[in-house]
Amino acid sequence: MHRILMRSLVIDVPGDVTKREREFWTAALAARGRPAKVYPEYYVLEDGATPNAVALQDIGTSPARVHFDIESDDVEAEVSRLVGLGAELVERHEEWVVLRDPAGLLFCVTDGEGDEFAAGAREVG
Amino acid sequence: MHRILMRSLVIDVPGDVTKREREFWTAALAARGRPAKVYPEYYVLEDGATPNAVALQDIGTSPARVHFDIESDDVEAEVSRLVGLGAELVERHEEWVVLRDPAGLLFCVTDGEGDEFAAGAREVG
């Protein structure tokens, strides 16, 4: 058994609307926006009117989309479980794994940590 | 002033993968799935491993996407605020209003109600 929580929401936007989109969603969610510490393509919206951890990602020339992350205390076990349910493994990054759902939507599995993960996570497996 | 909370997440899927997608996300989020009471194109995932209210919507022949809803205790005031921030009004339905963000992504504004709205909503305006 391991634990999961789907909590992070990412708004993926083309580079040419990144600035406008960051300003819009920061104001829309009454959040505080800041560049992410490690990955410069990410912009984090903190303390917004939502239970989600929200970020915007600059995805260059790809079309805009929304994706979410499933956090887990055992990323490999969770990836295996989701592939067993019908997801397709797309690519592995150092801190997350990209999967595709049966309808073709991308989503990620990433480490679950912190108080909100501990409080909200559910056992699966 | 009015209150908002971005909480509902909708996975929009073409009709030909609706059944498979419902089964996948019900299991992935360890949720209980059921058809929505009023709108037959919606399928509700209850009590899943997420702070979001999650539903799947059959969108016919359109490509799969993810969208979210901003709940409000004053839908008209919130729509006006978001249009003022740069969103475009797309269409009005009886229970929600569809908007488009600066990157072209669709999202909705809908009534906020219930304990989770009351607990999480934030004043804006």
Side-chain angles (χ1 to χ4, degrees):
Chain A
M1 301 286 283
H2 60 279
R3 288 164 66 82
I4 66 161
L5 180 66
M6 191 269 276
R7 189 174 70 92
S8 297
L9 192 65
V10 184
I11 302 171
D12 299 311
V13 293
D16 61 355
V17 290
T18 293
K19 182 172 181 295
R20 206 164 150 232
E21 188 82 347
R22 287 175 178 181
E23 291 168 356
F24 175 79
W25 282 109
T26 300
L29 297 178
R32 292 189 314 269
R34 63 161 178 84
K37 285 166 189 158
V38 179
Y39 298 96
E41 68 273 29
Y42 278 88
Y43 188 82
V44 178
L45 301 190
E46 292 183 320
D47 198 28
T50 172
N52 293 103
V54 181
L56 290 105
Q57 182 184 196
D58 180 343
I59 54 170
T61 57
S62 297
R65 62 182 183 239
V66 173
H67 84 263
F68 47 77
D69 297 345
I70 294 178
E71 302 170 16
S72 180
D73 58 5
D74 187 336
V75 167
E76 284 310 311
E78 180 60 4
V79 168
S80 295
R81 187 182 75 94
L82 293 166
V83 168
L85 292 174
E88 181 191 341
L89 181 62
V90 176
E91 58 188 20
R92 293 178 180 277
H93 293 257
E94 193 176 342
E95 297 190 27
W96 60 84
V97 178
V98 183
L99 299 170
R100 185 178 281 119
D101 84 356
L105 295 167
L106 298 177
F107 66 104
C108 300
V109 180
T110 182
D111 278 330
E113 49 195 27
D115 292 345
E116 295 190 31
F117 179 79
R122 175 85 54 86
E123 278 204 342
V124 294
Chain B
M1 300 286 282
H2 61 277
R3 287 164 65 82
I4 66 161
L5 180 65
M6 191 271 274
R7 191 175 68 93
S8 297
L9 192 66
V10 185
I11 302 170
D12 299 311
V13 293
D16 61 355
V17 290
T18 293
K19 182 172 182 294
R20 205 162 151 233
E21 189 82 348
R22 288 176 176 180
E23 291 169 354
F24 175 78
W25 283 110
T26 301
L29 297 178
R32 292 190 313 269
R34 63 161 177 84
K37 283 166 189 159
V38 179
Y39 298 96
E41 68 272 30
Y42 279 87
Y43 188 82
V44 178
L45 301 190
E46 291 183 321
D47 198 29
T50 172
N52 293 103
V54 181
L56 291 105
Q57 180 184 197
D58 180 342
I59 53 169
T61 56
S62 297
R65 63 181 182 239
V66 173
H67 84 263
F68 47 78
D69 297 346
I70 293 178
E71 302 170 15
S72 181
D73 58 6
D74 187 337
V75 168
E76 285 310 310
E78 179 59 5
V79 168
S80 295
R81 187 182 75 93
L82 294 166
V83 168
L85 292 174
E88 180 191 342
L89 181 63
V90 176
E91 58 188 20
R92 293 178 179 277
H93 292 258
E94 193 175 344
E95 297 191 26
W96 60 84
V97 178
V98 183
L99 299 170
R100 185 178 284 119
D101 84 357
L105 295 168
L106 298 176
F107 66 104
C108 299
V109 180
T110 183
D111 279 329
E113 48 195 27
D115 293 345
E116 294 191 31
F117 178 78
R122 174 85 54 86
E123 277 202 344
V124 295

